[in-house]
Amino acid sequence: MEHRPRSFYVLTAFFCLFVLFLYGPTLTIAILSFQGESGGLTFPMRGVSLNWFRELFQQQAVGDIWGAFRRSFALGLMVMVTTVVVSVMAGLAFRKRFAGAGVLFYVTIASLVIPSILVSLGVGLIFGQAGLTVHWATSGFGSQLTWTLPFGLLIMFAVFNRFDPSYEEAARDQGASPWQTVRHVVLPIIAPSLIGVALFGFTLSYDEFARTLLTAGSYNTLPLEIFGMTTNVTTPVIYALGTLTTLFSFLIIGVFLLTVWMLARRQARLGSDAGMGV
Amino acid sequence: MNGVSRATVTGWLLASPLVVVLAGFLVLPIITIVVVSFWQTTEFAIVPAFSFENYEFLFGSAVTWKVFAATFRYAVITWALTLSIGFTVAYYLAFHIRSQNVQIALFLLCTIPFWTSNIIRMISWIPFLGRNGLANQTLLDWGMIDEPVEWLLYSDFSVILAFVHLYTLFMVVPIFNTMMRIDRKLLEAARDGGASGFQTLVHVILPLTKPGIMIGTIFVLTLVMGDFITVRFMSGSQSANVGRLISNDIGLLQYPSASATAVVLLCTVLIMIAILLRFVNIRKEL
């Protein structure tokens, strides 16, 4: 083992502190969600109970958490599928130079950096002036796409910048049509990255707040519901909810990462051995 | 084809879904905001007009200037903190971790919170910073303070803490990405040339990492400038920034006034980005 410089140990300590800073608060509310029945929002723990989780599953005094969860889940899936399809198409488009590509690229970047509240306000105004009712599945859906699509497209850029075009040339030389080339050569190669795009699409939608605020209408998504709770719920039930949704997020992230890992392994196993010989 | 090349047609066809979404939910909404910012508010409704009264009111009010100043202050402090922390973390991951698997694992450890809920991550500071929170208890136990400190939660301190907590990842990821592309031979050359570790960091790594720093800077500045929820929640509604000015007007159904503020905010952010983009070519960095 090579000798490590002292800076390595200092930086390791710094990194550990950073990770503690990232996860510490989340762990704190996870512990506090098991607070005893007479306990409050802060330590000390007054006993240990599942009281606050039980309360989540009972008839709600305020709001409709499970309805909000179902809506957020459905919306997350809608946004996920749309983000993957639209990003791949746009990613393919940007591989070739076309007139106006630069403008479209900058508009996409603008979509990423524009203050979210402007999207919320603008979409809300359009629907209001057109006499339409805002709804999470229409205006909310579109607003969230302005946040997820730029991420999707940027990932596609990163993917295609590293993509070896000789695979496509080979397919073309074998007589594959452009569609066959995309379907049987390009898509299978970029599949693991598409899982990444899907992960961004789902999680960013599932947690999105600012762009959905004025565009979700009378049926709240989960983040809106949770934010509403912060103003009128003063018991650890909000920690129990926070813990459950965070666990759910971790589960989703785990499933996605596992899929990427398995796809990558499969590719490595079944991939070509061209160029491997001596 | 006459004039229009085939590549252009194919390009726009493939990009058409993206164009539809961006046109309908980004460009059109912004045009609407600009138009509405010239409208007038009566007692009962908002009426189409071409009036500068919203802007006159906005620029004539001392509150506006104070709130914009506060917003810039949040942005600059958060930027400085996220940059120093993010750079250090990225540097550690890129140059001190030798096993690629460990590197990927630690990188994921840093990015996973990005995929969880911001609201919950804000709420989770309450038991930490509150009057009877962990921080106060610990300081009391250690005898460093005699009575609980009040400014930990619902203050500018907690606002900036939350910003740093939420947005440092936006620095770590692009800086790490740029660092991983630095040719390791350059570091060897620096060492052979007799540079100390610190000199290599300042004269080789730092200049080569500039594009990543710029991208991270764009993210952090625009997120903080446009924020309204972190400031509202973490300051307990006691501090203001531009985003809150807009959301308060929306709450009062003062859409023309909210739109005017939004237009000014948008111009400010776009000018900042235009300046930053002079230092970096985003598409080359992906």
Side-chain angles (χ1 to χ4, degrees), chain B residues 68-284:
Chain B
F68 264 90
T71 310
F72 277 117
R73 212 187 45 169
Y74 284 135
V76 171
I77 297 175
T78 308
W79 171 76
L81 290 171
T82 51
L83 176 59
S84 1
I85 300 173
F87 186 90
T88 314
V89 168
Y91 174 76
Y92 174 72
L93 289 180
F95 295 110
H96 279 279
I97 304 294
R98 289 163 190 167
S99 142
Q100 209 200 349
N101 284 335
V102 177
Q103 206 170 38
I104 294 174
L106 293 183
F107 180 73
L108 280 175
L109 194 65
C110 292
T111 38
I112 283 172
F114 170 64
W115 295 312
T116 64
S117 164
N118 278 4
I119 302 270
I120 289 165
R121 292 175 70 202
M122 281 184 235
I123 293 172
S124 63
W125 280 108
I126 294 175
F128 225 87
L129 299 176
R131 199 169 187 284
N132 302 313
L134 277 182
N136 267 325
Q137 291 300 334
T138 313
L139 291 175
L140 281 172
D141 288 348
W142 290 352
M144 288 173 74
I145 49 173
D146 296 325
E147 50 190 83
V149 185
E150 298 283 351
W151 51 262
L152 287 179
L153 187 61
Y154 302 139
S155 62
D156 281 349
F157 170 78
S158 54
V159 172
I160 287 171
L161 185 76
F163 276 142
V164 173
H165 187 221
L166 296 175
Y167 298 147
T168 300
L169 307 170
F170 286 91
M171 281 289 187
V172 174
V173 175
I175 294 177
F176 175 75
N177 183 35
T178 333
M179 280 178 172
M180 290 305 283
R181 295 149 149 246
I182 295 177
D183 191 342
R184 302 297 142 130
K185 286 181 198 136
L186 294 172
L187 307 186
E188 263 172 55
R191 202 164 45 228
D192 293 347
S196 69
F198 183 72
Q199 283 172 324
T200 313
L201 174 65
V202 174
H203 297 294
V204 181
I205 297 176
L206 194 61
L208 290 173
T209 313
K210 218 174 75 183
I213 295 178
M214 284 305 156
I215 294 177
T217 302
I218 292 175
F219 266 117
V220 170
L221 286 185
T222 54
L223 283 166
V224 175
M225 291 293 292
D227 171 88
F228 65 102
I229 203 66
T230 314
V231 173
R232 176 169 157 194
F233 187 80
M234 294 308 287
S235 79
S237 294
Q238 291 176 49
S239 303
N241 70 343
V242 182
R244 281 203 67 204
L245 217 55
I246 300 172
S247 80
N248 285 350
D249 273 342
I250 294 172
L252 298 167
L253 305 181
Q254 302 282 335
Y255 294 118
S257 158
S259 301
T261 316
V263 170
V264 177
L265 174 64
L266 179 63
C267 294
T268 316
V269 169
L270 289 182
I271 290 169
M272 288 167 73
I273 294 170
I275 295 170
L276 290 170
L277 279 181
R278 297 186 71 92
F279 298 102
V280 58
N281 179 349
I282 296 185
R283 279 189 74 172
K284 262 198 193 156

Side-chain angles (χ1 to χ4, degrees), chain A residues 4 11-12 21-23 25 29 32 89 93 99 105 113-114 118 126 157 161 200 203 207 209 227 239 245 250, chain B residues 11-12 14 30 32-33 88 92 96 98 109 112-116 120 123-124 127 165 222 229 273 283 286:
Chain A
R4 294 274 200 179
L11 286 172
T12 306
F21 171 66
L22 277 185
Y23 290 90
I29 65 159
L32 278 169
M89 287 177 69
F105 176 73
V113 297
I114 198 167
L118 265 81
I126 291 178
F157 275 136
N161 278 354
F200 270 83
T203 56
D207 298 324
F209 179 81
F227 184 71
Y239 295 156
T245 53
F250 284 163
Chain B
W12 281 102
L14 278 170
I30 288 171
T32 313
I33 290 176
T88 314
Y92 174 72
H96 279 279
R98 289 163 190 167
L109 194 65
I112 283 172
F114 170 64
W115 295 312
T116 64
I120 289 165
I123 293 172
S124 63
H165 187 221
T222 54
I229 203 66
I273 294 170
R283 279 189 74 172
L286 294 164

